[in-house]
Amino acid sequence: RGGADLVLAFVKPSAFRLPPAAETPMVMVGAGTGVAPFRALVQHLQQRREALPSEALLYFGCQHRARDFLYADEFAQAVGGAALERG
């Protein structure tokens, strides 16, 4: 072993796709996966300086906002930029 650890992993292709028409509203629910896929989408849009197509809603929850909402600052910054609007 020599102090090295072996980690076996696989990457599963994502089934997440944006609607083909920009005017198609989107409802995203972060149950189970949490906000990780949507956080990645927002980061991607910020990098490309694009906004979400049309109207998009993201529903997710946390038990204790101060302790569990880990990406609050990141989402607040995205709301202030072009990627997100606060509803």
Side-chain angles (χ1 to χ4, degrees):
R1 282 191 161 243
D5 292 326
L6 176 65
V7 176
L8 300 176
F10 68 95
V11 177
K12 184 178 177 183
S14 174
F16 183 80
R17 301 285 183 267
L18 291 176
E23 58 275 357
T24 303
M26 293 189 329
V27 176
M28 303 171 285
V29 180
T33 61
V35 298
F38 311 111
R39 179 178 174 231
L41 172 63
V42 169
Q43 290 171 344
H44 174 76
L45 294 173
Q46 285 177 313
Q47 183 179 18
R48 295 181 60 170
R49 299 187 188 282
E50 294 180 21
L52 282 169
S54 187
E55 184 178 351
L57 301 172
L58 170 58
Y59 292 98
F60 67 97
C62 51
Q63 290 185 1
H64 306 283
R65 181 181 176 94
R67 199 170 61 218
D68 297 335
F69 192 10
L70 303 176
Y71 308 112
D73 293 340
E74 193 173 316
F75 279 116
Q77 181 182 358
V79 168
L84 291 178
E85 272 185 36
R86 184 178 182 121

